[in-house]
Amino acid sequence: MRMPPGQNQSWVSEFILLGFSSDPTTNRILFIAFLLLYLSSVLGNGLIVTLICLDMHLHTPMYFFLCILSLLDMGSVTTTMPQMLVHLLAQSQTISFAGCWLQMYMFGALGLTESIFFVVMAYDRYVAICYPLRYTVILSWGLCTRLSAGTWACGFFFSLIHTFFTMRLPYCGPNMVNHYLCEGPSVRSLACMDTNLIAMVDLVISVFMVVAPLSLIVASYICIAQAILKIKSMQPRCKAFSVCASHLTVVTFFYAPATYIYIRPNSSYSPEQDKQISLFYNVFTALLNPVVYSLRNKDIKRAFLKVMQRNRLAW
């Protein structure tokens, strides 16, 4: 569909998401695997949110932030996975231009929010370990709310800039996106004009939203490590290292693939590789969070057993 002269709108009215395979048998196997991953992610993160809301002992800044992280992960996988599951079984893999715009915006907004939110969680650990006696004074509920609201506002604002610049490009065909979702670099590669300027805008956003947060997290954990090494008792030291290890594991799985995809030259763009790598910070990170934070956390286990006992008594 050609755009009328003088109007700044796309020539393409819909995109085709190629996904992972065109073979029906392979797609059915992938459907079962991704359905299990999606349900596990949603149920695992949903369980964490439920336990934190129900148990008064978990109403602390650390678990408040963990609850928000779980909500972000549920939102992120729900933005992409249901549609991918439908496309694995359906004859048509099309998505409207408006649908692609919305998916790109929401996926970017939740991803960028999570990227900044990891800094907030690192700050929480820094205060808890370096200033344990002043923890609740420094991290008051007012500050926790403002930090959380600020991360959401930044994430949604910068995603709007990224999506606006990407989707206002002229797309005159082809319209086949070699990906399972409308992600910026994959869609931008179809534009029928030079995209170096847009790539530079994305690089600037990535520096502010990925490199800067990652640098702050590294700086926080250097201070945390120094504080932990000063602890003479072995048990508190091991407990502090255990809590920090959980956070660092999730951070690594999120930032490593995101940094590769968004902070690199256009010349190294590889669609097949991007599809596989994006699964890590979209699907596997969301699945990893409840596993890491619940299996290694005695408070979450205790809250779960308490809820189970309550249900057993109710029956």
Short mmCIF file of all heavy atoms in Angstrom, two decimals, residues 61-93:
data_model
loop_
_atom_site.label_atom_id
_atom_site.label_comp_id
_atom_site.label_asym_id
_atom_site.label_seq_id
_atom_site.Cartn_x
_atom_site.Cartn_y
_atom_site.Cartn_z
N PRO A 61 11.17 -3.03 52.08
CA PRO A 61 11.61 -2.48 50.78
C PRO A 61 12.14 -3.53 49.82
O PRO A 61 11.83 -3.50 48.63
CB PRO A 61 12.71 -1.49 51.20
CG PRO A 61 12.31 -1.04 52.55
CD PRO A 61 11.71 -2.24 53.21
N MET A 62 12.94 -4.49 50.32
CA MET A 62 13.52 -5.50 49.44
C MET A 62 12.44 -6.30 48.72
O MET A 62 12.51 -6.52 47.50
CB MET A 62 14.41 -6.45 50.24
CG MET A 62 15.13 -7.47 49.37
SD MET A 62 16.20 -8.57 50.29
CE MET A 62 15.17 -10.01 50.43
N TYR A 63 11.43 -6.74 49.46
CA TYR A 63 10.37 -7.55 48.85
C TYR A 63 9.38 -6.70 48.06
O TYR A 63 8.75 -7.19 47.12
CB TYR A 63 9.68 -8.39 49.92
CG TYR A 63 10.58 -9.45 50.47
CD1 TYR A 63 11.11 -9.37 51.76
CD2 TYR A 63 10.96 -10.53 49.68
CE1 TYR A 63 11.98 -10.33 52.25
CE2 TYR A 63 11.82 -11.50 50.16
CZ TYR A 63 12.33 -11.40 51.44
OH TYR A 63 13.19 -12.35 51.91
N PHE A 64 9.26 -5.44 48.41
CA PHE A 64 8.46 -4.51 47.60
C PHE A 64 9.07 -4.39 46.21
O PHE A 64 8.37 -4.46 45.19
CB PHE A 64 8.41 -3.15 48.29
CG PHE A 64 7.79 -2.06 47.46
CD1 PHE A 64 6.43 -2.05 47.19
CD2 PHE A 64 8.58 -1.03 46.95
CE1 PHE A 64 5.86 -1.04 46.41
CE2 PHE A 64 8.02 -0.01 46.19
CZ PHE A 64 6.65 -0.02 45.92
N PHE A 65 10.40 -4.25 46.15
CA PHE A 65 11.09 -4.16 44.87
C PHE A 65 11.02 -5.49 44.11
O PHE A 65 10.87 -5.50 42.88
CB PHE A 65 12.55 -3.75 45.07
CG PHE A 65 12.74 -2.36 45.62
CD1 PHE A 65 13.72 -2.10 46.56
CD2 PHE A 65 11.92 -1.32 45.21
CE1 PHE A 65 13.89 -0.81 47.07
CE2 PHE A 65 12.09 -0.04 45.70
CZ PHE A 65 13.07 0.22 46.64
N LEU A 66 11.13 -6.60 44.83
CA LEU A 66 11.03 -7.91 44.20
C LEU A 66 9.65 -8.12 43.59
O LEU A 66 9.51 -8.70 42.51
CB LEU A 66 11.34 -9.01 45.22
CG LEU A 66 11.26 -10.46 44.73
CD1 LEU A 66 12.19 -10.67 43.54
CD2 LEU A 66 11.63 -11.42 45.86
N CYS A 67 8.63 -7.63 44.28
CA CYS A 67 7.25 -7.73 43.79
C CYS A 67 7.11 -6.96 42.47
O CYS A 67 6.50 -7.46 41.51
CB CYS A 67 6.29 -7.16 44.85
SG CYS A 67 4.55 -7.22 44.37
N ILE A 68 7.68 -5.77 42.40
CA ILE A 68 7.62 -4.97 41.17
C ILE A 68 8.39 -5.64 40.05
O ILE A 68 7.95 -5.65 38.89
CB ILE A 68 8.14 -3.54 41.44
CG1 ILE A 68 7.20 -2.81 42.37
CG2 ILE A 68 8.32 -2.77 40.13
CD1 ILE A 68 7.65 -1.43 42.77
N LEU A 69 9.55 -6.23 40.37
CA LEU A 69 10.33 -6.95 39.35
C LEU A 69 9.51 -8.10 38.77
O LEU A 69 9.52 -8.32 37.55
CB LEU A 69 11.62 -7.47 39.98
CG LEU A 69 12.54 -8.26 39.02
CD1 LEU A 69 13.08 -7.36 37.92
CD2 LEU A 69 13.69 -8.89 39.80
N SER A 70 8.79 -8.81 39.62
CA SER A 70 7.95 -9.92 39.14
C SER A 70 6.82 -9.41 38.25
O SER A 70 6.49 -10.04 37.23
CB SER A 70 7.37 -10.68 40.34
OG SER A 70 8.38 -11.34 41.06
N LEU A 71 6.24 -8.27 38.60
CA LEU A 71 5.19 -7.68 37.75
C LEU A 71 5.75 -7.27 36.39
O LEU A 71 5.09 -7.47 35.36
CB LEU A 71 4.57 -6.46 38.45
CG LEU A 71 3.71 -6.75 39.68
CD1 LEU A 71 3.33 -5.44 40.38
CD2 LEU A 71 2.45 -7.52 39.29
N LEU A 72 6.96 -6.71 36.38
CA LEU A 72 7.60 -6.34 35.12
C LEU A 72 7.86 -7.56 34.25
O LEU A 72 7.64 -7.53 33.03
CB LEU A 72 8.93 -5.61 35.40
CG LEU A 72 8.84 -4.17 35.90
CD1 LEU A 72 10.20 -3.68 36.39
CD2 LEU A 72 8.32 -3.24 34.80
N ASP A 73 8.32 -8.64 34.87
CA ASP A 73 8.60 -9.87 34.11
C ASP A 73 7.32 -10.47 33.54
O ASP A 73 7.31 -10.92 32.38
CB ASP A 73 9.30 -10.89 35.01
CG ASP A 73 10.76 -10.56 35.23
OD1 ASP A 73 11.35 -9.91 34.36
OD2 ASP A 73 11.31 -10.92 36.28
N MET A 74 6.25 -10.48 34.33
CA MET A 74 4.97 -11.00 33.82
C MET A 74 4.47 -10.16 32.66
O MET A 74 3.97 -10.69 31.66
CB MET A 74 3.93 -11.04 34.95
CG MET A 74 4.11 -12.18 35.92
SD MET A 74 2.66 -12.43 36.97
CE MET A 74 2.72 -10.95 37.99
N GLY A 75 4.59 -8.85 32.79
CA GLY A 75 4.16 -7.96 31.71
C GLY A 75 4.98 -8.15 30.45
O GLY A 75 4.45 -8.17 29.34
N SER A 76 6.29 -8.33 30.61
CA SER A 76 7.19 -8.47 29.46
C SER A 76 6.89 -9.73 28.66
O SER A 76 6.77 -9.68 27.43
CB SER A 76 8.64 -8.46 29.95
OG SER A 76 9.52 -8.52 28.86
N VAL A 77 6.77 -10.87 29.35
CA VAL A 77 6.50 -12.12 28.60
C VAL A 77 5.10 -12.13 28.03
O VAL A 77 4.86 -12.71 26.96
CB VAL A 77 6.74 -13.37 29.49
CG1 VAL A 77 8.19 -13.52 29.86
CG2 VAL A 77 5.87 -13.35 30.74
N THR A 78 4.15 -11.48 28.70
CA THR A 78 2.77 -11.44 28.19
C THR A 78 2.66 -10.53 26.97
O THR A 78 1.76 -10.70 26.14
CB THR A 78 1.81 -10.97 29.31
OG1 THR A 78 1.93 -11.88 30.42
CG2 THR A 78 0.37 -10.97 28.85
N THR A 79 3.56 -9.58 26.83
CA THR A 79 3.58 -8.71 25.65
C THR A 79 3.97 -9.47 24.39
O THR A 79 3.53 -9.13 23.29
CB THR A 79 4.56 -7.54 25.87
OG1 THR A 79 4.17 -6.81 27.02
CG2 THR A 79 4.59 -6.60 24.68
N THR A 80 4.77 -10.51 24.53
CA THR A 80 5.32 -11.20 23.36
C THR A 80 4.87 -12.65 23.20
O THR A 80 4.56 -13.09 22.09
CB THR A 80 6.85 -11.18 23.42
OG1 THR A 80 7.29 -11.81 24.64
CG2 THR A 80 7.38 -9.75 23.40
N MET A 81 4.82 -13.41 24.29
CA MET A 81 4.64 -14.85 24.19
C MET A 81 3.27 -15.30 23.67
O MET A 81 3.20 -16.19 22.83
CB MET A 81 4.92 -15.51 25.55
CG MET A 81 6.36 -15.43 26.00
SD MET A 81 7.46 -16.47 25.02
CE MET A 81 7.10 -18.08 25.70
N PRO A 82 2.14 -14.75 24.16
CA PRO A 82 0.84 -15.21 23.65
C PRO A 82 0.72 -15.10 22.13
O PRO A 82 0.23 -16.02 21.47
CB PRO A 82 -0.16 -14.30 24.36
CG PRO A 82 0.52 -13.92 25.63
CD PRO A 82 1.96 -13.78 25.25
N GLN A 83 1.18 -13.98 21.58
CA GLN A 83 1.10 -13.82 20.12
C GLN A 83 2.02 -14.81 19.41
O GLN A 83 1.66 -15.39 18.39
CB GLN A 83 1.48 -12.40 19.73
CG GLN A 83 1.36 -12.16 18.22
CD GLN A 83 1.88 -10.82 17.81
OE1 GLN A 83 3.03 -10.51 18.04
NE2 GLN A 83 1.04 -10.02 17.20
N MET A 84 3.22 -15.05 19.97
CA MET A 84 4.14 -16.01 19.37
C MET A 84 3.52 -17.40 19.38
O MET A 84 3.64 -18.16 18.41
CB MET A 84 5.46 -16.02 20.12
CG MET A 84 6.49 -16.94 19.50
SD MET A 84 8.08 -16.96 20.36
CE MET A 84 7.65 -17.83 21.86
N LEU A 85 2.83 -17.75 20.47
CA LEU A 85 2.19 -19.07 20.56
C LEU A 85 1.09 -19.22 19.52
O LEU A 85 0.94 -20.28 18.91
CB LEU A 85 1.61 -19.26 21.97
CG LEU A 85 2.65 -19.41 23.10
CD1 LEU A 85 1.97 -19.34 24.46
CD2 LEU A 85 3.42 -20.71 22.96
N VAL A 86 0.32 -18.16 19.30
CA VAL A 86 -0.73 -18.19 18.27
C VAL A 86 -0.12 -18.36 16.89
O VAL A 86 -0.58 -19.17 16.08
CB VAL A 86 -1.58 -16.90 18.33
CG1 VAL A 86 -2.51 -16.81 17.12
CG2 VAL A 86 -2.38 -16.84 19.61
N HIS A 87 0.96 -17.63 16.62
CA HIS A 87 1.62 -17.69 15.31
C HIS A 87 2.25 -19.07 15.04
O HIS A 87 2.38 -19.47 13.88
CB HIS A 87 2.69 -16.61 15.20
CG HIS A 87 2.12 -15.25 14.95
ND1 HIS A 87 2.90 -14.10 14.90
CD2 HIS A 87 0.85 -14.83 14.74
CE1 HIS A 87 2.12 -13.06 14.69
NE2 HIS A 87 0.88 -13.48 14.59
N LEU A 88 2.63 -19.78 16.09
CA LEU A 88 3.23 -21.10 15.91
C LEU A 88 2.22 -22.11 15.37
O LEU A 88 2.60 -23.09 14.70
CB LEU A 88 3.81 -21.61 17.23
CG LEU A 88 5.14 -20.98 17.68
CD1 LEU A 88 5.48 -21.39 19.10
CD2 LEU A 88 6.28 -21.37 16.74
N LEU A 89 0.94 -21.89 15.65
CA LEU A 89 -0.10 -22.82 15.21
C LEU A 89 -0.95 -22.28 14.06
O LEU A 89 -1.59 -23.04 13.34
CB LEU A 89 -1.02 -23.19 16.38
CG LEU A 89 -0.38 -23.94 17.56
CD1 LEU A 89 -1.42 -24.28 18.60
CD2 LEU A 89 0.34 -25.20 17.10
N ALA A 90 -0.99 -20.96 13.90
CA ALA A 90 -1.86 -20.35 12.89
C ALA A 90 -1.24 -20.38 11.50
O ALA A 90 -0.02 -20.52 11.35
CB ALA A 90 -2.17 -18.91 13.29
N GLN A 91 -2.10 -20.26 10.49
CA GLN A 91 -1.64 -20.21 9.11
C GLN A 91 -0.98 -18.86 8.81
O GLN A 91 -0.03 -18.77 8.05
CB GLN A 91 -2.83 -20.40 8.16
CG GLN A 91 -3.47 -21.78 8.23
CD GLN A 91 -2.57 -22.87 7.66
OE1 GLN A 91 -1.78 -22.62 6.75
NE2 GLN A 91 -2.66 -24.08 8.21
N SER A 92 -1.53 -17.81 9.43
CA SER A 92 -1.03 -16.46 9.18
C SER A 92 -0.19 -15.96 10.36
O SER A 92 -0.56 -16.17 11.51
CB SER A 92 -2.21 -15.50 8.94
OG SER A 92 -1.77 -14.17 8.86
N GLN A 93 0.93 -15.34 10.05
CA GLN A 93 1.80 -14.77 11.09
C GLN A 93 1.84 -13.24 10.99
O GLN A 93 2.85 -12.61 11.30
CB GLN A 93 3.23 -15.32 10.95
CG GLN A 93 3.40 -16.74 11.46
CD GLN A 93 3.01 -17.77 10.43
OE1 GLN A 93 3.25 -17.60 9.25
NE2 GLN A 93 2.37 -18.84 10.87
#
